[in-house]
Amino acid sequence: MAEREAAGELTNLPTETRVWPIQNYLEYFQKSIRDIEAFWSQIGHELVWNRLWDQVLEWKPPFARWFVGGLVNASYNAVDRHMSTWRKNKAAYLWEGEAGDRRTVTYGELFREVNRFAAGLRKLGVKQGDRIALYMPMIPELPIAMLASSRIGAIFTVVFSGFSVGALASRIQDSEARVVVTADLGFRRGKSINLKEIVDEAVQTTPSVEHVVVFRRAGGEIPMRQGRDIWWQDLVKDASNFVAPEPLEANHPLYILYTSGTTGRPKGAVHSTGGYLTYVYATQKWVFDVKDEDVYWCTADIGWVTGHSYIVFGPLMHGVTSVMYEGVLDYPAPDHWWQIVERYGVTVLYTTPTAIRTLMKFGDELPRQHDLSSFRLLGTVGEPINPAAWEWYYRVIGQERCPIVDTWWQTETGGILISPAPNLGLPLLKPGSATYPLPGIDADVLNEAGATTAPGEKGYLVIRKPWPGMFMTLYKDPDRYRQVYWEKFPGLYYAGDYAVRDRDGYFWLLGRADEVLKVAGHRLGTIEIEDALVSHPAVAEAAVAGRPDTIKGEAIVAFVTLRQGHNSSSALVEALKQHVRKEIGPIATPEEIHFVSSLPKTRSGKIMRRVVKAVASNRDIGDITTLEDEASVEEVKQAFSEFKSA
Ligand code: ATP
Ligand code: MG
């Protein structure tokens, strides 16, 4: 792009990525949202289609259909398209197991295994439109199963392998899957988990399931039910090496994925094929600026949307080499991630604020002991990143060389919506801001009455026009789809998040709109208070909630975990209160501060403030099937009740 070349001398960040004058970006952006159909049509052409579409967009609010009449196949675009190129023997995945085992899977191998498993699924009678549930550890067979499913037009639903029987069963029931694919073994912190046993229990309550396919990792015998259960290895033994990819209408569902349940009962987001792939393809390029020589590592679990879009479809469509790691971040050692980075020369890292805060807790020494000079770009997703964590990521991990892309998006949006876009030119970064919406994304911040807020004024984040990555509906529940996302501001997508735009037009995401406290007539985001707490050197993480208070409306209750080398004391409680008072103001001073060793989080690492809030206000804690660690809830309860009886 000529404009980018010309912009080469403008550098406001020390990075290899050039800074595009933001004016140019904004012009490009304005053009994109003026005519979204022309814009997305052009990008849609970068995919391989069996037949081009008749109509770019059919918009019958709140239902959008993109690339109507176009025929496309996801596995073809992710794998087959590389078979006639030099990438055929390029690594698609550099895989590491928690136990230290390693595997390299090339695009050619991926192609063969996807075809064989697709043939296997056909043998089991799986047809276009059937649902299959994937309850698998982070091994290459998980993307293989997703791609095989998409090859024959089946609809997959990935269930995070850390979920227990109840969470698995409810997702199979809701999706009415005919086949469940699992493995005999998964690992978590050195403990082996018999996944098949969990499946056996779950399928007792799921009449739709006809077959259970089990990938064999261990040598031992496990009970297999005759006629229903089959080993993956046996299924593919004599399978054909080629299954023609089915040309599917662009709006054929590619997958169903249940949201993480931070705020309540999980919702089954249904994603399309053509629109979704187009969107993921574009954002993978804009945000991560991927190049053939990159070693790209998205640390998410494929059980979450981040893994679907940015471990599987995005990187594969671009022919990128990805690191795929089975384990958790601090096992077997707290510097395990940095060992992996050093071993493969990782250039792009995409992770979560919760991971960054955990790594921060271990101190600066560990990353300093490793060679992290291969990094060129760092990303985060999942929660607002507090400026303290952003600075640490930038300074210690990126060594002040690498831009940070703070990417805002949701399961429902299919891909990143608000983020810096290094491939299009970087704006000046501000720690804690996701900067600007990506091209084609008409984002706005509205007040309760539906008017655009003034700069600096908090409001609700909405998207005014549909985009191709947008989910099509909630599975079997179009009413809930309409009601949750489209009724608050009719015709606009309501994200459920609080945001503010500053005078430069930068977006700051302030957490969920329902996580707002009303203290003595003021509205305070829990995130603001948490940020203030975490900016104190003793604090690693914080969760803030309100409890009903007869005088103030709500009183602020904070639960915090401490960084290594700090201990709880009443002097520290006082110091933290003073600190918040100084950072935000007296109105934000927590009434109570409790120290705990861990906070209640979802399996995807997000703090479940609703649990904290329920404890603080003595209410039932509700659905916690997606909770990471029940002990943390007990600890929060205990800390709270000890305080009350003291
Ligand atoms: P549920 O909808 O079931 O309560 P969830 O919203 O946690 O679950 P996801 O779709 O995985 O499930 O998460 C999307 C949410 O994560 C966003 O709505 C937002 O609150 C938060 N989020 C994601 N990325 C960012 C970011 N970069 N900055 C701030 N918040 C973010
Ligand atoms: Mg959500």
Side-chain angles (χ1 to χ4, degrees):
M1 246 180 254
E3 302 96 303
R4 288 186 61 202
E5 294 303 318
E9 70 275 9
L10 265 172
T11 46
N12 51 3
L13 260 185
T15 155
E16 59 149 282
T17 311
R18 293 185 180 161
V19 177
W20 209 20
I22 199 61
Q23 203 47 41
N24 290 16
Y25 177 77
L26 293 179
E27 274 164 28
Y28 180 69
F29 170 80
Q30 287 303 341
K31 192 169 157 229
S32 74
I33 56 172
R34 239 185 339 261
D35 188 350
I36 54 170
E37 295 187 28
F39 181 74
W40 290 115
S41 167
Q42 198 184 359
I43 293 179
H45 280 93
E46 293 186 31
L47 264 55
V48 183
W49 297 80
N50 299 88
R51 176 184 186 278
L52 284 180
W53 50 91
D54 303 312
Q55 192 182 347
V56 183
L57 170 65
E58 179 198 280
W59 178 220
K60 294 185 181 153
F63 298 97
R65 285 161 51 82
W66 285 91
F67 305 113
V68 182
L71 297 178
V72 66
N73 184 279
S75 82
Y76 186 93
N77 275 279
V79 185
D80 299 39
R81 76 187 295 178
H82 305 300
M83 288 309 101
S84 53
T85 74
W86 67 270
R87 294 194 188 92
K88 183 168 175 168
N89 291 311
K90 180 181 177 178
Y93 292 114
L94 301 167
W95 178 84
E96 290 227 359
E98 199 193 74
D101 35 346
R102 294 178 201 163
R103 257 168 88 184
T104 299
V105 183
T106 65
Y107 276 92
E109 285 165 334
L110 198 58
F111 175 77
R112 190 179 64 232
E113 297 309 323
V114 166
N115 274 281
R116 278 151 48 91
F117 196 62
L121 288 175
R122 279 257 172 88
K123 269 199 275 183
L124 295 178
V126 177
K127 301 182 312 296
Q128 188 173 319
D130 287 346
R131 272 83 55 212
I132 66 174
L134 310 178
Y135 182 65
M136 303 177 74
M138 278 283 284
I139 54 176
E141 280 65 29
L142 176 50
I144 289 168
M146 294 160 80
L147 294 162
S149 164
S150 73
R151 196 166 187 87
I152 60 172
I155 302 164
F156 61 84
T157 184
V158 180
V159 182
F160 172 55
S161 66
F163 278 143
S164 50
V165 176
L168 172 61
S170 69
R171 284 161 178 75
I172 299 176
Q173 283 157 4
D174 194 69
S175 61
E176 297 169 293
R178 285 183 68 186
V179 172
V180 180
V181 185
T182 188
D184 52 354
L185 200 64
F187 292 97
R188 205 169 166 81
R189 288 186 191 283
K191 225 175 70 197
S192 61
I193 300 159
N194 185 339
L195 296 174
K196 170 66 163 51
E197 203 171 87
I198 298 171
V199 171
D200 283 341
E201 205 178 323
V203 297
Q204 284 175 9
T205 58
T206 61
S208 62
V209 175
E210 294 161 31
H211 292 287
V212 176
V213 180
V214 189
F215 183 77
R216 190 199 281 278
R217 298 184 80 187
E221 281 307 305
I222 58 166
M224 295 286 279
R225 180 177 317 166
Q226 185 91 43
R228 186 196 69 185
D229 301 348
I230 179 162
W231 292 105
W232 172 305
Q233 282 85 344
D234 291 339
L235 186 66
V236 300
K237 200 166 6 188
D238 306 310
S240 154
N241 277 332
F242 184 72
V243 172
E246 280 197 38
L248 301 164
E249 205 276 336
N251 296 282
H252 180 74
L254 177 61
Y255 65 85
I256 303 166
L257 182 62
Y258 294 84
T259 58
S260 70
T262 312
T263 50
R265 183 165 61 91
K267 304 174 276 282
V270 182
H271 279 286
S272 73
T273 302
Y276 172 80
L277 292 175
T278 299
Y279 195 72
V280 170
Y281 180 89
T283 52
Q284 180 79 48
K285 180 164 85 181
W286 292 336
V287 176
F288 301 106
D289 197 19
V290 284
K291 303 179 178 83
D292 259 319
E293 55 274 27
D294 270 322
V295 178
Y296 163 93
W297 185 13
C298 166
T299 68
D301 192 287
I302 294 177
W304 317 122
V305 72
T306 306
H308 284 56
S309 299
Y310 301 114
I311 297 178
V312 183
F313 294 102
L316 293 180
M317 281 190 285
H318 285 279
V320 166
T321 296
S322 286
V323 169
M324 181 174 171
Y325 175 52
E326 180 183 19
V328 293
L329 99 141
D330 52 349
Y331 186 89
D335 63 344
H336 197 71
W337 273 19
W338 311 133
Q339 292 176 25
I340 294 178
V341 170
E342 195 167 1
R343 180 149 53 245
Y344 298 107
V346 173
T347 56
V348 180
L349 183 73
Y350 189 32
T351 191
T352 59
T354 187
I356 297 164
R357 288 190 297 258
T358 305
L359 293 163
M360 227 173 126
K361 200 155 100 172
F362 302 141
D364 297 6
E365 260 320 292
L366 292 177
R368 294 239 153 93
Q369 287 162 8
H370 295 275
D371 180 4
L372 307 183
S373 63
S374 53
F375 278 142
R376 67 167 180 83
L377 182 69
L378 304 172
T380 95
V381 61
E383 282 189 293
I385 178 161
N386 46 298
W390 196 104
E391 300 276 4
W392 187 83
Y393 200 27
Y394 182 71
R395 188 172 49 80
V396 180
I397 305 308
Q399 297 165 353
E400 303 184 25
R401 277 183 300 104
C402 310
I404 292 181
V405 290
D406 174 359
T407 66
W408 178 87
W409 60 298
Q410 309 176 301
T411 307
E412 297 87 338
T413 69
I416 299 163
L417 298 197
I418 305 181
S419 164
N423 178 264
L424 301 174
L426 258 184
L428 209 127
L429 301 178
K430 302 186 188 185
S433 167
T435 72
Y436 294 98
L438 292 176
I441 301 303
D442 194 356
D444 203 351
V445 181
L446 305 182
N447 65 19
E448 197 66 52
T452 298
T453 54
E457 192 191 328
K458 272 188 253 175
Y460 303 102
L461 179 66
V462 299
I463 314 295
R464 293 189 168 277
K465 290 183 179 164
W467 66 99
M470 181 175 128
F471 65 145
M472 296 193 295
T473 187
L474 291 178
Y475 192 60
K476 290 191 301 195
D477 205 349
D479 290 339
R480 192 174 178 207
Y481 168 79
R482 189 189 298 272
Q483 184 207 321
V484 172
Y485 304 98
W486 301 93
E487 271 180 5
K488 187 166 173 74
F489 301 108
L492 310 184
Y493 174 74
Y494 171 61
D497 280 349
Y498 232 4
V500 66
R501 222 172 349 191
D502 67 17
R503 254 171 293 134
D504 301 325
Y506 281 54
F507 282 71
W508 298 75
L509 284 309
L510 304 175
R512 292 150 204 282
D514 50 10
E515 283 168 2
V516 171
L517 307 177
K518 293 178 205 74
V519 184
H522 298 267
R523 293 166 69 79
L524 291 166
T526 53
I527 292 282
E528 278 177 279
I529 306 168
E530 288 164 11
D531 279 1
L533 285 165
V534 176
S535 70
H536 188 281
V539 176
E541 291 197 288
V544 164
R547 84 167 147 65
D549 182 278
T550 41
I551 298 163
K552 297 185 186 167
E554 271 182 306
I556 300 167
V557 183
F559 294 87
V560 301
T561 65
L562 295 177
R563 292 175 76 167
Q564 238 159 33
H566 296 272
N567 297 316
S568 61
S569 67
S570 51
L572 184 56
V573 169
E574 261 331 292
L576 292 179
K577 287 187 180 176
Q578 282 308 323
H579 183 70
V580 175
R581 185 182 275 268
K582 192 176 106 255
E583 293 288 310
I584 313 178
I587 187 74
T589 312
E591 197 83 1
E592 302 168 19
I593 296 180
H594 306 285
F595 299 106
V596 290
S597 63
S598 69
L599 294 170
K601 289 185 188 165
T602 60
R603 300 274 173 161
S604 50
K606 299 182 195 212
I607 296 171
M608 287 174 101
R609 291 181 191 77
R610 71 178 163 88
V611 170
V612 176
K613 185 177 168 109
V615 173
S617 36
N618 270 321
R619 281 203 325 260
D620 179 37
I621 55 177
D623 181 357
I624 50 163
T625 48
T626 65
L627 186 74
E628 161 81 27
D629 172 15
E630 303 226 355
S632 61
V633 177
E634 288 313 311
E635 206 191 341
V636 164
K637 278 186 181 162
Q638 176 123 18
F640 186 68
S641 67
E642 276 168 11
F643 177 87
K644 287 187 47 177
S645 56

